[in-house]
Amino acid sequence: MRQEPVRSWTAEQLRSDDLPKKDLINFLQDNAAHSFLNEHRLLENIKNVAKTSKKKQLVDTITSCLSAKGLTPRRRRKM
C-alpha cells in the first residue's frame, strides 16, 4: 500500500512569505503525478518554474493536488 506524503506546512505557513516557492515546487515535483505536473506546467527546472509561477498559484496547486489525491511519489530526474 502506497503511503501518502505528509504536508509539512499549515495553511498559514503556505500563505506566508517565510516559505520559499522553491520548497513548494520541490514538494510537488517529488510527490505529484507526471500528468498533474504537466497540466500545471511544473515539469521544468525548479529555477525556471519559480521565476514564472506566483506563490498563490503554487499554494492553490498543492491544495488541489492533495484534495484530488494527485500525488504519486516518483523518482526525480537529474537535470
Side-chain angles (χ1 to χ4, degrees):
M1 195 162 119
R2 186 176 64 103
Q3 192 170 5
E4 293 293 322
V6 178
R7 182 169 83 178
S8 43
W9 312 289
T10 63
E12 291 174 7
Q13 289 173 324
L14 280 174
R15 286 188 289 271
S16 76
D17 290 334
D18 296 337
L19 186 63
K21 290 192 290 185
K22 289 183 180 181
D23 288 352
L24 300 176
I25 296 164
N26 197 19
F27 174 81
L28 285 166
Q29 288 184 344
D30 284 345
N31 296 296
H34 188 271
S35 59
F36 186 87
L37 293 173
N38 190 36
E39 178 183 336
H40 293 280
R41 298 180 184 181
L42 298 170
L43 285 174
E44 296 178 33
N45 185 309
I46 291 176
K47 276 196 262 182
N48 294 340
V49 175
K51 285 181 191 176
T52 59
S53 300
K54 299 201 182 302
K55 176 95 178 239
K56 183 176 180 348
Q57 175 189 5
L58 292 171
V59 170
D60 292 344
T61 302
I62 286 179
T63 304
S64 69
C65 186
L66 290 172
S67 66
K69 303 289 185 200
L71 298 173
T72 52
R74 63 189 185 98
R75 291 190 182 155
R76 298 243 355 219
R77 61 175 196 252
K78 295 185 181 182
M79 293 188 175

